[in-house]
Amino acid sequence: MNILLLQLKRIGDLIVTTPAIVAVRKQFPDAQVTLVISNECAALAPAISNVDRIFVVRRGLSDAAVLIALARGKFDYCIDFTRNDRSALLTFLSGARQRVVSERIKHKSKTRARVYNEFVPHRMRDMQTLDYNLALVGPLGIKDASRQLHLDLPTAAHEKAEQLCREANMDTEFIVLHPGSARVEKFWPAERWAEVIDDAQLKRNLKAVITGGGSDFEQGHIRDIKSKLRGSAVDLSGKTDLLTLAALIGRARLLITVDSAPMHLAAATGTPQVVLFGPTNPFHWRPLVSPAIILQGASTSPVTEFAVKQERMSMNQISTSAVISAMESLLSKHNSGRARPAGAPATEQGS
């Protein structure tokens, strides 16, 4: 069996595709499995296991060698998780006998739909993204697959994380706070982040570690947070690559983050987390496997019921007290440090 998987979206999308990848390998342990990812996800490739080959393609599809390799692949199945022009072209070039995609493509582009010959009766907007990805591998005879995310972090990532901890004198338990995002509407007010950090450090004797990207956009937000602290925090923003960040989160007692890639890294490493949602819908992106508390809107209680459609909400509605209460709840429930090695499977549960 020769199987081609196409996931050309963002980092979070690739991470929540890993249960489908694992399910394919479990169903076909001797198959040749090829995964194609976007250049934006290249840094994650060393942690993606259960595949035999990974091809990285750029937005311009200028990788002639990759296109030729796919055209010569003699694939039995091609599963398109992406459903855009690029993935349709790659599906066509693959020449796979069975070319699988969501039936939604019939309504989006009749031209693209002609590339495929098997349509899964599910739409991404109606499902949690992880479940949607698992539904797409259903035509391969896969049912009731585990929802557990899977990242096989290389030794180098763990070593870099350990070195950062030593350099920052992080010899005590710590929490990670990731306030940044590529979208400003996901930012939570800097003064509230500062209050949460001060509570963790001054009241709970936990070291607070701030992570984030190195862009001026995120760095400005982080500087604003740090300027409002009563104490200080370890600032590792811009100092970790993606896999080192995953290893660092795997060592932490807790992650507090907005809807961003670290949320999926925490879910993959089983790290408890508090996730702040605003303009995006937690129905589609919330962690399904790992201890997680979801906060959104003005309610001080965690979100426990999720809807396919909802109005966009402001991050400003989330109170500091709600975040501190959620932090306290998870720290109390998981009060003995990390009992499990970073990256070990978590117990499957709802959010």
Side-chain angles (χ1 to χ4, degrees), residues 85-272:
D85 289 340
R86 289 193 300 157
S87 62
L89 174 60
L90 296 180
T91 300
F92 173 77
L93 289 174
S94 75
R97 290 189 297 107
Q98 295 297 116
R99 301 176 298 280
V100 183
V101 74
S102 166
E103 69 172 6
R104 178 63 178 165
I105 199 170
K106 294 179 180 179
H107 307 284
K108 299 288 285 186
S109 172
K110 291 183 179 180
T111 301
R112 265 190 270 149
R114 295 193 185 101
V115 170
Y116 306 89
N117 57 16
E118 188 150 359
F119 300 90
V120 176
H122 296 287
R123 300 187 302 180
M124 180 180 286
R125 71 180 186 180
D126 296 333
M127 304 177 72
Q128 209 277 354
T129 309
L130 187 158
D131 288 335
Y132 169 81
N133 291 333
L134 286 175
L136 286 181
V137 297
L140 279 72
I142 296 170
K143 298 179 181 179
D144 303 319
S146 170
R147 289 164 145 185
Q148 174 64 50
L149 303 183
H150 187 87
L151 291 179
D152 189 8
L153 298 180
T155 301
H158 291 291
E159 291 175 343
K160 290 178 184 178
E162 184 177 358
Q163 181 180 351
L164 286 172
C165 289
R166 285 198 306 268
E167 292 173 352
N169 295 317
M170 289 159 53
D171 53 357
T172 60
E173 293 185 325
F174 64 92
I175 66 171
V176 172
L177 302 100
H178 192 94
S181 168
R183 296 168 55 182
V184 69
E185 64 266 32
K186 289 186 181 182
F187 281 11
W188 194 47
E191 63 273 11
R192 299 184 196 179
W193 280 111
E195 289 176 35
V196 172
I197 292 171
D198 285 335
D199 182 272
Q201 297 199 131
L202 303 179
K203 292 184 180 180
R204 305 174 200 281
N205 198 33
L206 289 169
K207 185 157 284 190
V209 179
I210 301 174
T211 61
S215 68
D216 292 341
F217 188 62
E218 286 195 48
Q219 286 296 308
H221 186 43
I222 291 171
R223 284 194 299 271
D224 197 13
I225 294 168
K226 291 164 63 178
S227 72
K228 293 173 170 57
L229 291 173
R230 284 188 284 160
S232 61
V234 177
D235 183 3
L236 296 182
S237 62
K239 298 178 181 178
T240 63
D241 57 49
L242 184 67
L243 298 186
T244 301
L245 176 60
L248 184 70
I249 290 172
R251 289 170 167 263
R253 284 283 308 276
L254 177 75
L255 170 70
I256 305 177
T257 183
V258 298
D259 172 22
S260 59
M263 172 182 68
H264 303 296
L265 298 178
T269 58
T271 302

Side-chain angles (χ1 to χ4, degrees), residues 3-65:
I3 301 170
L4 176 63
L5 308 175
L6 305 176
Q7 179 51 279
L8 307 181
K9 293 185 179 179
R10 296 163 296 184
I11 291 170
D13 295 271
L14 178 54
I15 296 173
V16 297
T17 305
T18 58
I21 296 172
V22 171
V24 168
R25 174 57 71 201
K26 184 177 180 180
Q27 183 80 354
F28 302 102
D30 299 322
Q32 174 82 6
V33 179
T34 300
L35 173 66
V36 182
I37 63 176
S38 67
N39 187 55
E40 293 89 337
C41 293
L44 197 63
I48 303 297
S49 56
N50 294 288
V51 297
D52 299 286
R53 296 184 299 178
I54 296 179
F55 290 135
V56 178
V57 295
R58 304 182 183 91
R59 284 198 176 276
L61 288 174
S62 58
D63 303 273

